[in-house]
Amino acid sequence: MAAEIDRPVEHDLTPSAAPPSEAPFVNRRDPAKALGPDGRPQVSRRAPKWADVPDEKWDDWRWQLSNRVNELHEIEEVLDLTDEEREGLSAPDKFRVDITPYFISLIDPHDPDDPIRRQVIPLGREQQAFTAMMEDSLAEDRHSPVPGLVHRYPDRVLMLVTTQCASYCRYCTRSRIVGDPTQNFNRKDHEAQLEYLRRTPQVRDVLISGGDGLTLAPKLFESILRGLREIQHIEIVRIGSRVPVFLPQRVDDELCAMLEKYHPLWINLHFNHASEITPEVSRAVDKLTRAGLPVGNQSVLLAGVNDCVNVQRELIHKLVENRVRPYYLYQCDLVEGSGHFRTPVGKGLEIIEGLRGHTSGYAVPTYVIDAPGGGGKIPVMPNYLISYSDHKVVLRNYEGYITTYEEPLEYRQHDKQSCRSCQQTRPEPGQSGVHGLLQGERMWIEPKGFEEIHSRGNVDAHRLQRPDKWVPYGVGAIEGQARTLPVLAAGGNGGGQLDDSMLPTERAATDTNAGIVDTETLVPEEQRDRSYGPGEEPRPREGEPTASAHGELL
Ligand SMILES: *Cc1c(COP(=O)(O)O)cnc(C)c1O
Ligand code: SF4
């Protein structure tokens, strides 16, 4: 058969196969090409306050920035304010308010629940404290080797280049510094950040954020990009910006021509609701993609703004229509001012459950909780993996249909010795985490302070080492009738301490280092405690402090 195909197949390329020449095809489905009723590029609503501003000014990002509204009396000219909004706007120590004329014009002046409005107009409630509220909930300051540079992950850093934004989001996770001109970063800080990066070759990815780098003077922003690009070990640079949302006018040809010089460059925007994606935004995003930047989106799950699977679906569909890839959906941080925006985590899971499988995979963001205290972003997923045996994986799909995947019977283990990638991999000392367990580097990870307790021989400090702290109180145990277990039941794992008062059998069992001690075989029949049965677990007494890794958090 192969011999028959001995020359390339010729396609018929004669002009008669092409449509007759006529006006070039215009794709009206492209949101960046949407036309208004006047046949000109479509524009968003403009509040009456600015009706007389000439288009050249309105479309000029500098005019937009210098005409932002922040005082109650100015905002009142645009929106019908509620009493609680007046209270929020009058609060003396509030997080900065500043809204571009373009963005506030998108708000329905008569709808107090408008999703755009809720993001930028403060409410009195913003001042209320809540349990676990923190100023710097992600402990960014603690993870900053130099001011503004957060080095939390092994291979990438967050570089805060300014505290200024085009407008201010009420739930901002960095409200401790953002909006405050007295805490701004200057050229000297940028130089110190760059110097740290020059000396830190494990960093291959730099995320520029703030504040919002795109609010910086164009020359200054470019000098930062150039500084980064002069560092050979930095592979990619990412920009996190809300400027294209608050101020799409800023994304002009000049900016895109500048950005293009510093590839590979990625950008993540921040839309929370479909109504933020206007014709102006579509054109700005189109320019960014033409300049070769992959565009992503990060949303925050906000009560009263987007805590609904249908609102989220509309948002992500509009994003992908604009070639923006949904990246993260963040659980609202435990930051001052965000109390009334918080939703239960179950709401986020419900949203992901309603998206995954129900729509295109690349439209579904990863739902993450940015760990309070600074552990990094933790993905939170509904369970699709039901069970797992030595040869079958049991799965369920988005409809609840249950299926199985058969594992290969023979799988030749990957040979690390002959694998170039394995041999070249950079070590991550002390940071290999669960991956380290899978790689066989360690067998367990101990709770913080565990080793210290062992090395000091301070057995009292650890509940697992104190038999008298264990009472049988399992399923079926009768409260109040529980008695202290014989000493051996408290073996725990990791090997116990030897005690002279122990019976020889107890000594032997404790000394094995082999893990949980089998009380059934070691304790004579008449001494066995029968107040809990097989499968029932001893639990600490009520009010007893536990040293368990998870229990203490609850
Ligand atoms: C979000 C973040 C990053 C980037 O994380 P990715 O998951 O790679 O997007 C890096 N450093 C810090 C401190 C961050 O908060
Ligand atoms: S744009 Fe980002 S940094 Fe600026 S106020 Fe909003 S959330 Fe905070």
Side-chain angles (χ1 to χ4, degrees):
M1 290 296 276
E4 286 173 27
I5 306 169
D6 57 357
R7 60 197 172 87
V9 178
E10 280 173 27
H11 292 271
D12 185 2
L13 295 173
T14 53
S16 65
S21 62
E22 50 185 44
F25 175 70
V26 180
N27 174 11
R28 288 283 159 236
R29 195 59 194 80
D30 181 349
K33 299 215 179 80
L35 298 182
D38 58 357
R40 298 177 52 214
Q42 202 177 337
V43 291
S44 306
R45 180 184 171 280
R46 208 195 275 194
K49 176 176 163 70
W50 295 288
D52 299 333
V53 174
D55 287 352
E56 314 86 77
K57 278 197 173 160
W58 183 260
D59 295 337
D60 176 352
W61 61 272
R62 291 183 174 87
W63 182 90
Q64 287 281 342
L65 277 183
S66 47
N67 285 276
R68 286 181 291 181
V69 291
N70 44 57
E71 301 276 352
L72 195 154
H73 71 88
E74 295 170 309
I75 295 172
E76 213 168 23
E77 289 174 50
V78 184
L79 307 174
D80 287 343
L81 292 175
T82 65
D83 289 345
E84 206 192 345
E85 286 173 329
R86 284 171 197 283
E87 188 193 334
L89 284 164
S90 318
D93 295 328
K94 65 178 177 302
F95 177 54
R96 178 159 162 193
V97 176
D98 238 341
I99 313 163
T100 57
Y102 157 82
F103 199 66
I104 199 172
S105 292
L106 302 178
I107 297 174
D108 177 344
H110 314 296
D111 178 8
D113 297 327
D114 181 292
I116 292 186
R117 179 175 188 143
R118 290 282 51 86
Q119 294 180 59
V120 290
I121 306 288
L123 291 176
R125 259 175 285 176
E126 192 175 288
Q127 306 295 324
Q128 284 170 11
F130 55 89
T131 307
M133 180 178 92
M134 288 171 265
E135 193 190 19
D136 178 11
S137 77
L138 309 179
E140 293 188 326
D141 296 342
R142 204 147 42 76
H143 288 98
S144 298
V146 293
L149 199 90
V150 189
H151 194 174
R152 172 158 23 246
Y153 295 104
D155 69 337
R156 54 207 190 280
V157 295
L158 172 65
M159 183 176 178
L160 307 178
V161 296
T162 175
T163 60
Q164 305 296 294
C165 296
S167 298
Y168 294 90
C169 316
R170 304 322 299 166
Y171 51 83
C172 179
T173 197
R174 268 177 223 126
S175 51
R176 69 185 185 282
I177 49 167
V178 161
D180 182 350
T182 68
Q183 294 203 61
N184 212 349
F185 302 104
N186 56 31
R187 274 173 201 272
K188 243 177 89 189
D189 297 311
H190 300 150
E191 186 40 48
Q193 295 170 342
L194 289 169
E195 185 46 36
Y196 174 83
L197 292 172
R198 283 181 206 116
R199 297 188 267 110
T200 316
Q202 69 263 38
V203 176
R204 44 159 287 283
D205 176 354
V206 175
L207 167 49
I208 300 177
S209 184
D212 200 318
L214 291 185
T215 62
L216 286 178
K219 286 242 152 50
L220 179 56
F221 188 63
E222 180 165 7
S223 74
I224 295 168
L225 286 176
R226 184 169 313 155
L228 290 171
R229 277 291 164 241
E230 280 163 2
I231 305 173
Q232 284 307 307
H233 58 261
I234 293 173
E235 294 165 7
I236 65 163
V237 174
R238 297 191 251 175
I239 301 168
S241 175
R242 216 181 177 195
V243 156
V245 184
F246 289 138
L247 184 65
Q249 296 80 3
R250 175 70 185 90
V251 185
D252 52 16
D253 294 335
E254 199 185 326
L255 175 74
C256 291
M258 187 276 277
L259 293 176
E260 245 178 279
K261 292 192 270 174
Y262 299 97
H263 277 313
L265 204 54
W266 294 55
I267 192 164
N268 255 334
L269 310 183
H270 174 176
F271 297 97
N272 291 318
H273 194 279
S275 61
E276 293 164 323
I277 308 174
T278 62
E280 289 86 349
V281 161
S282 293
R283 294 192 286 270
V285 166
D286 184 61
K287 280 188 199 294
L288 290 169
T289 60
R290 279 166 200 281
L293 286 93
V295 185
N297 184 61
Q298 323 201 74
S299 297
V300 182
L301 179 53
L302 299 167
V305 174
N306 58 15
D307 52 340
C308 159
V309 68
N310 297 312
V311 168
Q312 291 280 349
R313 190 185 299 112
E314 201 184 327
L315 167 66
I316 61 171
H317 283 173
K318 216 161 164 187
L319 287 170
V320 295
E321 214 183 324
N322 283 276
R323 287 172 285 153
V324 179
R325 165 76 153 97
Y327 181 53
Y328 283 146
L329 171 63
Y330 285 94
Q331 176 68 7
C332 190
D333 289 327
L334 298 168
V335 66
E336 281 174 26
S338 73
H340 62 290
F341 284 118
R342 296 176 61 222
T343 68
V345 171
K347 179 53 74 177
L349 283 170
E350 178 199 323
I351 287 168
I352 299 300
E353 182 79 58
L355 298 178
R356 173 60 61 195
H358 298 271
T359 190
S360 324
Y362 55 71
V364 182
T366 303
Y367 175 43
V368 293
I369 300 180
D370 218 338
K377 293 170 214 18
I378 303 176
V380 188
M381 275 279 274
N383 289 329
Y384 295 95
L385 178 70
I386 293 179
S387 192
Y388 194 23
S389 75
D390 61 344
H391 69 114
K392 263 197 207 292
V393 186
V394 184
L395 305 153
R396 62 114 175 154
N397 80 346
Y398 68 101
E399 297 163 302
Y401 169 84
I402 294 179
T403 187
T404 60
Y405 174 83
E406 182 73 36
E407 294 273 65
L409 281 178
E410 279 173 49
Y411 169 65
R412 201 167 71 95
Q413 292 296 329
H414 174 69
D415 180 7
K416 287 186 193 173
Q417 292 312 313
S418 66
C419 169
R420 196 177 44 84
S421 299
C422 286
Q423 295 308 315
Q424 285 180 355
T425 185
R426 252 189 321 233
E428 280 180 28
Q431 294 198 41
S432 57
V434 174
H435 186 70
L437 299 180
L438 296 174
Q439 296 290 305
E441 288 162 18
R442 329 185 56 167
M443 251 174 104
W444 56 73
I445 296 176
E446 288 152 355
K448 204 174 165 197
F450 193 92
E451 255 171 283
E452 205 185 328
I453 288 163
H454 275 252
S455 63
R456 279 189 277 117
N458 182 4
V459 291
D460 284 354
H462 203 283
R463 183 172 48 75
L464 290 175
Q465 305 286 327
R466 283 278 305 273
D468 60 309
K469 292 209 164 190
W470 285 87
V471 290
Y473 179 55
V475 181
I478 303 161
E479 214 173 339
Q481 290 188 12
R483 283 191 291 115
T484 305
L485 271 181
V487 69
L488 285 177
N493 51 15
Q497 300 285 322
L498 292 182
D499 180 335
D500 281 336
S501 68
M502 285 178 172
L503 299 168
T505 46
E506 293 170 350
R507 288 181 65 91
T510 315
D511 205 17
T512 55
N513 238 355
I516 294 160
V517 178
D518 182 355
T519 56
E520 288 295 315
T521 54
L522 291 169
V523 184
E525 177 66 35
E526 62 281 8
Q527 285 179 24
R528 280 185 208 160
D529 193 296
R530 284 292 169 205
S531 56
Y532 71 102
E536 296 169 356
E537 272 182 56
R539 302 237 180 108
R541 284 194 207 95
E542 185 121 320
E544 189 80 73
T546 72
S548 74
H550 311 299
E552 272 180 7
L553 304 176
L554 302 171

